[in-house]
Amino acid sequence: KRHAASIFEITDDEAAAVMHTARKVAQAAKAAFEPAGLTLLQANGAEGGQTVAHFHLHVVPRHAEDGITFAWPRKEPGAAVLEGYALQLRNAMLSKELVAA
């Protein structure tokens, strides 16, 4: 319940608690609404689609033709670009700063 503006400001324990709670809500939504699917949505920063300045996670039961879309123009980068992204992420995940966070 502590205020945090984005995922970058929550602790590992808080992140685990959020996912645990989301799973409980998802199970309740499944029992109550019998959805064909379910979407978890969490956005950070204006460019990421965040419209409310606090960390939160949406649990959205989904049905065929429910009018909700999460589509964007898909751009297919080449394999070399994707490999470069993977290397950048791998290096960031192994960095001392990230490990200590």
Side-chain angles (χ1 to χ4, degrees):
K1 295 194 180 202
R2 179 182 69 80
H3 178 268
S6 72
I7 196 168
F8 305 112
E9 296 180 10
I10 65 172
T11 67
D12 288 347
D13 288 341
E14 289 168 335
V18 166
M19 188 54 69
H20 178 77
T21 302
R23 184 173 180 272
K24 289 171 68 173
V25 173
Q27 289 173 321
K30 181 179 179 185
F33 306 117
E34 299 180 2
L38 187 125
T39 297
L40 296 179
L41 176 65
Q42 198 283 311
N44 299 279
E47 289 79 4
Q50 184 177 15
T51 58
V52 179
H54 67 262
F55 173 83
H56 60 286
L57 180 69
H58 297 266
V59 179
V60 185
R62 302 298 305 276
H63 297 276
E65 300 179 27
D66 60 13
I68 300 172
T69 63
F70 299 106
W72 54 88
R74 186 174 176 147
K75 297 178 183 176
E76 294 290 343
V81 172
L82 292 175
E83 288 173 15
Y85 290 162
L87 181 60
Q88 284 178 273
L89 284 170
R90 189 176 307 113
N91 289 339
M93 292 182 78
L94 295 173
S95 75
K96 291 180 183 176
E97 294 80 23
L98 189 61
V99 171

